[in-house]
Amino acid sequence: SKAKIHLFSIKNLHVGAANILKQDALSIGADLAVPRGTVVASEKYVDTLLIATTKQIEVLSRKELAQPFGLKELAHKLKSYLAVKDSGEAQIMGVLNANDDSFYAHSRFNPASALEKIILMIEEGAKIIDIGGVSSRPGSAPVDAEVELGRVKEIIDLILSEKLYTSTRFSIDTSTPKVAAYACECGFDIVNDIRGFESDELCVIAAQNGASAVVMHMQGSPKDMQENPSYDNLLSEVGLFFEERLEKAAHYGIKDVILDVGIGFGKTLEHNLSLINNLDHFKYLKSALLVGASRKSMIDKISPSSVEERLSGTLILHNRALENGASILRVHDVKEHYQAMKVFQALR
């Protein structure tokens, strides 16, 4: 607790609170970086950076409870960060696509080959298998509900008839209520929605079936999300989106929510790297965190490569995500990730 250093960006802090917090931080060996002119209150509100160890945050979160200018509320928020514990061993979510236009050809399967692939992924260590019938790659267009259901129905029926849901968890990758409802009726217990449960009907279906909800953040839609993604404050905006969706999920009675920062969905390379490097920022939401950077084009932007050549880059990105608190990795290469995860856990 005396060795780990935390950096907290505290925005729009009352200048009186900033001066009090600065002195309290200095008194225990921590510090608060403030803009020039703060000491003479040249601006009423300021953006600051708190630099402190875990132990110092514990002390500050008690001291500021008696202070004015909103410091009591800040103390409670700091305390909530310290209360978050590691989720333990992470899980691998294997990807299986039932469409012919997903960005990675080796993830595409028809019903005849899907069953064999599912059994193999279970043997290789997948705790969840995510099945979808619509590509969400940049520039992709929406698909009619009947067409989407037609693509995944036979695979879902095979999973049900073979009772594979007793061996691992199954997730349906869809934003379409009709598809989600059918999958849940057939043993699927996770609904993975790239649109972040924007649909009220999808919320009702997940709640009625007791399904977990994967809420992903996306700016825009797959068709236009990569045209010019921009944020005033990436972490704050994604965090606020998650807070709103968690409230909505609770309203509809969804018990378990998994948060996906949406790597590659309305983000530049810098946005993607920042989200992975700062994944632990979202721990305050006390939900499992999912990261899916598997073979994505951000790797090509760092080191030019084809989709087939991006496994090593994927493993590095997912390793950093594990370091920063990821609970679930959504991957195309289950066996390689299982081995990498075991080595990572041994190192810890």
Side-chain angles (χ1 to χ4, degrees):
S1 64
K2 295 180 181 179
K4 184 173 182 180
I5 296 176
H6 303 270
L7 302 177
F8 288 95
S9 174
I10 307 169
K11 296 187 172 295
N12 297 317
L13 188 64
H14 190 283
V15 70
N19 281 309
I20 293 169
L21 185 58
K22 173 81 171 180
Q23 294 307 311
D24 285 346
L26 290 172
S27 72
I28 60 171
D31 202 353
L32 184 75
V34 298
R36 195 182 301 273
T38 299
V39 70
V40 294
S42 59
E43 298 287 342
K44 188 174 182 180
Y45 294 95
V46 293
D47 293 343
T48 67
L49 182 66
L50 178 61
I51 309 162
T53 66
T54 301
K55 186 66 177 178
Q56 290 162 348
I57 293 295
E58 289 173 357
V59 175
L60 280 176
S61 65
R62 291 194 298 268
K63 291 186 72 165
E64 305 315 306
L65 286 172
Q67 298 290 8
F69 304 119
L71 285 172
K72 182 178 179 181
E73 290 76 13
L74 176 62
H76 285 302
K77 196 151 194 177
L78 290 173
K79 194 172 181 180
S80 72
Y81 273 91
L82 297 181
V84 177
K85 306 296 182 185
D86 285 340
S87 58
E89 185 173 335
Q91 295 183 330
I92 294 172
M93 172 190 274
V95 179
L96 192 151
N97 292 310
N99 53 291
D100 58 9
D101 59 345
S102 56
F103 80 94
Y104 183 45
H106 294 293
S107 70
R108 305 171 193 165
F109 291 88
N110 57 42
S113 59
L115 188 63
E116 182 181 347
K117 179 62 176 178
I118 289 168
I119 292 170
L120 178 62
M121 284 196 287
I122 294 171
E123 291 173 349
E124 290 176 340
K127 298 298 183 184
I128 307 167
I129 297 175
D130 190 43
I131 296 174
V134 178
S135 174
S136 56
R137 74 188 192 288
S140 60
V143 171
D144 180 78
E146 292 298 332
V147 172
E148 182 184 350
L149 182 59
R151 291 175 179 176
V152 297
K153 185 179 183 300
E154 195 171 342
I155 297 175
I156 293 172
D157 291 344
L158 281 170
I159 291 166
L160 178 63
S161 65
E162 297 293 327
K163 297 184 178 179
L164 292 175
Y165 55 83
T166 63
S167 301
T168 195
R169 299 182 72 187
F170 283 90
S171 166
I172 185 67
D173 180 2
T174 187
S175 300
T176 307
K178 185 172 184 176
V179 176
Y182 189 81
C184 288
E185 290 168 5
C186 296
F188 283 56
D189 67 348
I190 301 174
V191 179
N192 180 11
D193 179 17
I194 64 167
R195 298 184 184 276
F197 279 77
E198 183 178 72
S199 164
D200 294 347
E201 188 179 353
L202 200 63
C203 290
V204 171
I205 289 166
Q208 287 179 343
N209 289 279
S212 300
V214 178
V215 172
M216 195 194 80
H217 175 273
M218 173 172 59
Q219 187 180 88
S221 67
K223 189 173 183 178
D224 61 12
M225 63 188 179
Q226 290 303 105
E227 289 181 4
N228 186 29
S230 63
Y231 299 83
D232 292 327
N233 188 303
L234 175 68
L235 298 180
S236 293
E237 289 177 43
V238 175
L240 285 171
F241 170 82
F242 284 151
E243 288 178 23
E244 291 168 0
R245 288 299 193 261
L246 284 168
E247 287 183 11
K248 182 175 183 178
H251 172 75
Y252 279 96
I254 299 172
K255 303 297 183 184
D256 181 49
V257 178
I258 300 160
L259 304 176
D260 179 354
V261 294
I263 299 300
F265 286 83
K267 280 99 179 175
T268 64
L269 171 62
E270 289 72 22
H271 294 147
N272 291 325
L273 293 174
S274 181
L275 286 167
I276 292 172
N277 274 326
N278 296 285
L279 191 67
D280 56 354
H281 168 78
F282 303 105
K283 285 183 178 181
Y284 79 97
L285 296 167
K286 300 179 182 178
S287 292
L289 300 173
L290 182 153
V291 171
S294 187
R295 296 183 178 268
K296 289 189 174 178
S297 62
M298 65 176 292
I299 299 168
D300 178 57
K301 292 181 174 66
I302 299 169
S303 176
S305 53
S306 66
V307 178
E308 289 74 18
E309 299 170 324
R310 297 176 192 164
L311 175 58
S312 53
T314 297
L315 291 170
I316 291 293
L317 291 171
H318 282 165
N319 181 73
R320 177 56 66 91
L322 288 175
E323 289 178 350
N324 292 332
S327 305
I328 301 170
L329 299 178
R330 185 178 184 274
V331 310
H332 296 99
D333 309 279
V334 173
K335 182 178 180 179
E336 292 81 356
H337 276 85
Y338 184 82
Q339 183 184 78
M341 190 180 292
K342 286 299 180 183
V343 173
F344 171 80
Q345 289 162 354
L347 286 169
R348 296 187 82 183

